[in-house]
Amino acid sequence: MQITDETIKYVSALAKLQLTKEEEERAKVDLGNILGYMETMNELDTTGIEPMSHAFQVSNVFREDVVTNGDDRENLLSNAPAQKDGCFVVPKTVE
C-alpha cells in the first residue's frame, strides 16, 4: 500500500494533529516502514501455531476471598461516637 499525502492528512485529522510539511514527510516514511514490516510478518508460516493473547502465561495472582475477622459487630462499634440498633449513627447529609 502506498502512503499518499491524502492518507497522511486523513490520519492526522483523525488524530487531531496539525503536522508541518516536514512532519508529514516523516510520518509518510514511518507509516510506510510500518506497513512494510506488516507485509514481512504476513509472509511468515504460522500453520500449527495456536493464537494467544499474551506472550507469556497469565495466571491469577489474587488470593482467595476469605473472611478473616468474622462477625464482630460489638468490637467494631465499641469506638463509635454514636450507635443505634447495632449501626453507626452519622449526621444527616441530605434533606
Side-chain angles (χ1 to χ4, degrees), residues 35-82:
L35 291 176
Y37 183 72
M38 296 308 295
E39 289 174 9
T40 303
M41 295 296 287
N42 285 334
E43 294 173 3
L44 294 173
D45 181 23
T46 57
T47 55
I49 297 176
E50 186 176 328
M52 57 186 193
S53 61
H54 295 82
F56 51 89
Q57 188 67 18
V58 177
S59 61
N60 188 356
V61 296
F62 298 114
R63 64 173 172 78
E64 288 294 322
D65 189 15
V66 179
V67 177
T68 57
N69 59 352
D71 186 22
D72 195 10
R73 183 179 296 226
E74 288 78 28
N75 191 24
L76 292 173
L77 290 171
S78 65
N79 291 324

